[in-house]
Amino acid sequence: MSTETTTAPVKVKVPKEALFSVKNKRLIYDPLNDNNPITVQVLGICSALAVTVKVKPSIVMAIAVVAVCACSNVIISLIRNIIPNRIRIIVQLTVVAAMVILVDQFLKAFIFDVSKQLSVFVGLIITNCIIMGRLEAFAMANKPWPAFLDGIGNGFGYGLILVIVSVVRELFGAGEIMGFRIIPESVYTAGYFNNGLIIMPPMALIIVGIYIWIQRSRNRKLIEPN
Amino acid sequence: MDSVNIFIKAVFIENMIFAYFLGMCSYLAISKTVKSSVGLGLAVIFVLTVSIPVCYLLENYVLKAGALSWLSDDFATVDLSFLSFIMYIATIASIVQLVEMVVEKFAPALYASLGIFLPLIAVNCSILGGALFMQEREYANVGEATVFAFGSGVGWFLAIVALSAIREKIRYSNVPMPLRGLGITFILTGLMAIAFMSFMGIKI
């Protein structure tokens, strides 16, 4: 049957990958569009909807998620070979929780008012499925550098949706962006009113729904069969 | 009377899904059929009702500023509240592990149908969110915290069962192609949340 080969497996020298090779760049670009964590992977929706009333808290939230996601990806990727498989969820949660405590204390120390607005949602970064999902799907099987890029990319993909939704909501809900008035007073005197409904939480869902609609009609391969 | 108010408030006015969007991920992913969503909803009710009172006791006898004074007067100034995230998530993760073992033993069919989402209740935001709301709202005693937890669970259960019923029906409608699946589910949830907003005016 099979002839036994006694030769030792030839060591193939893997050329060292450039820091920003095409593959690594894809790790950052993909989550921004084709593989967006919110609209395609359906991860991390909870906090995305609740903090998007104003632009400023959503940017802070996005930065916090990028930081936590990138750091915990790197840490898990470094220790991936020594984590026992059965208790990996608890190990991952502990690492993420430690990161989130750091971020929470940082926010409380330097931007207290925003931290107050975000209330429980900073703590909820621990259970943000983007972070857990990326840890499970990517960091457990990859080296630290790609894991870092993956964390950054997914964090930004999440941030992108947050910023889009919050810009729409603050613009139509309050007529301003980041506290600067965009819709001039003269429009108000002509009989324009702020849309009070759009500040309400449900409209965030509908805006994301419409965003998904636009994204999928431009990119037809994302359409679900049913 | 107070606990009845807390219950009604937690189910309708401060509904986990429609007012705070907590636990959306599994809510959107599991709501394809009524049967599996009933199973997941019951599991969430159970985990909430068990883990939040435990977190409440932790908060009031270990973590809060001055909470350790029952040990000795030396600890009266110790404030461990910055550790609350880790303590809560550890409590929740271990209770989920327990629930998983119990369900696997006594209801294997339900266990198979829930699949990966049973362990994922550990990262369901509604559980940790409930714990953090409990911390923020400072309930008077364990009973009130338990009622709040049970009410939140029932609210989550109602929401997921209602959505899955709508999704079972909407399969026969002609939804625009790019909106099918996730898109229409988002918009449906939004409309349901607008309906639930009518409870907001109720003062109890």
Side-chain angles (χ1 to χ4, degrees):
Chain A
M1 297 282 278
S2 64
T3 54
E4 270 198 27
T5 51
T6 47
T7 47
V10 185
K11 256 201 177 162
V12 185
K13 207 174 182 197
V14 186
K16 204 161 187 314
E17 222 179 333
L19 277 187
F20 286 99
S21 60
V22 179
K23 207 174 101 213
N24 281 348
K25 272 188 192 158
R26 285 188 64 84
L27 288 177
I28 292 198
Y29 293 146
D30 263 6
L32 290 181
N33 187 18
D34 281 3
N35 200 13
N36 189 289
I38 292 184
T39 61
V40 181
Q41 302 175 42
V42 207
L43 295 173
I45 295 158
C46 330
S47 55
L49 301 174
V51 299
T52 51
V53 179
K54 292 245 183 295
V55 177
K56 202 172 157 201
S58 9
I59 291 178
V60 172
M61 185 74 184
I63 294 171
V65 169
V66 170
V68 173
C69 198
C71 295
S72 48
N73 256 7
V74 170
I75 293 176
I76 290 292
S77 167
L78 282 172
I79 59 172
R80 68 183 187 278
N81 292 324
I82 55 169
I83 301 178
N85 199 36
R86 287 190 65 89
I87 58 159
R88 64 177 193 288
I89 301 251
I90 296 182
V91 173
Q92 288 163 358
L93 280 177
T94 318
V95 170
V96 176
M99 286 295 148
V100 170
I101 288 178
L102 286 182
V103 168
D104 184 48
Q105 297 292 326
F106 183 85
L107 290 183
K108 273 189 187 141
F110 291 101
I111 32 178
F112 189 72
D113 53 328
V114 178
S115 143
K116 205 78 212 156
Q117 275 177 25
L118 291 172
S119 78
V120 299
F121 290 98
V122 179
L124 287 177
I125 297 178
I126 298 172
T127 52
N128 192 318
C129 336
I130 292 178
I131 293 169
M132 280 298 286
R134 292 326 291 174
L135 288 179
E136 272 290 289
F138 201 88
M140 288 297 281
N142 283 283
K143 291 213 173 80
W145 174 246
F148 176 74
L149 293 179
D150 184 75
I152 296 268
N154 278 287
F156 276 118
Y158 168 84
L160 179 74
I161 305 290
L162 244 67
V163 170
I164 290 175
V165 175
S166 63
V167 163
V168 173
R169 286 179 77 183
E170 196 174 352
L171 181 62
F172 292 106
E176 36 191 48
I177 288 176
M178 300 276 289
F180 297 111
R181 185 141 293 282
I182 300 293
I183 298 175
E185 283 301 323
S186 55
V187 182
Y188 284 96
T189 45
Y192 175 81
F193 282 101
N194 281 332
N195 189 340
L197 186 65
I198 214 156
I199 298 184
M200 297 295 179
M203 284 309 287
L205 283 163
I206 295 181
I207 294 170
V208 176
I210 292 170
Y211 180 84
I212 292 174
W213 190 359
I214 295 169
Q215 189 191 23
R216 291 192 180 180
S217 49
R218 287 161 59 107
N219 192 348
R220 295 212 149 246
K221 68 174 186 289
L222 294 178
I223 292 176
E224 291 168 48
N226 187 20
Chain B
M1 203 54 219
D2 257 4
S3 48
V4 175
N5 284 349
I6 289 176
F7 181 77
I8 292 175
K9 222 169 149 184
V11 175
F12 294 107
I13 303 171
E14 287 166 348
N15 188 293
M16 278 287 176
I17 295 269
F18 296 132
Y20 295 109
F21 306 121
L22 294 178
M24 283 302 261
C25 311
S26 38
Y27 172 78
L28 293 174
I30 291 293
S31 57
K32 288 198 177 99
T33 60
V34 173
K35 201 163 161 258
S36 53
S37 63
V38 169
L40 185 71
L42 291 176
V44 167
I45 293 181
F46 182 75
V47 173
L48 263 173
T49 327
V50 175
S51 58
I52 299 240
V54 177
C55 290
Y56 181 88
L57 294 175
L58 260 181
E59 163 78 8
N60 280 289
Y61 292 101
V62 180
L63 296 171
K64 216 159 68 175
L68 279 173
S69 54
W70 58 272
L71 267 179
S72 84
D73 287 339
D74 300 343
F75 294 119
T77 53
V78 176
D79 181 5
L80 293 176
S81 54
F82 65 94
L83 282 180
S84 55
F85 293 160
I86 278 194
M87 295 302 286
Y88 289 170
I89 201 71
T91 314
I92 293 166
S94 43
I95 287 173
V96 168
Q97 196 76 53
L98 196 75
V99 171
E100 194 185 350
M101 286 191 276
V102 171
V103 172
E104 192 179 8
K105 180 102 172 91
F106 293 106
L110 180 64
Y111 181 78
S113 77
L114 288 178
I116 179 73
F117 278 90
L118 196 56
L120 280 187
I121 294 179
V123 286
N124 185 324
C125 331
S126 60
I127 316 280
L128 186 63
L132 294 175
F133 278 130
M134 175 274 296
Q135 183 188 28
E136 205 177 77
R137 291 181 194 154
E138 296 174 348
Y139 288 105
N141 52 43
V142 183
E144 283 188 4
T146 316
V147 168
F148 160 74
F150 182 66
S152 308
V154 171
W156 203 89
F157 175 85
L158 277 183
I160 192 170
V161 172
L163 181 71
S164 61
I166 298 179
R167 280 183 79 173
E168 274 192 1
K169 292 281 173 220
I170 213 164
R171 221 166 282 158
Y172 306 108
S173 331
N174 189 12
V175 181
M177 277 307 276
L179 206 51
R180 283 202 186 159
L182 192 57
I184 194 69
T185 313
F186 265 100
I187 292 179
L188 275 176
T189 315
L191 294 176
M192 286 161 80
I194 290 180
F196 258 72
M197 271 167 55
S198 58
F199 289 113
M200 266 206 237
I202 302 174
K203 287 261 185 302
I204 46 174

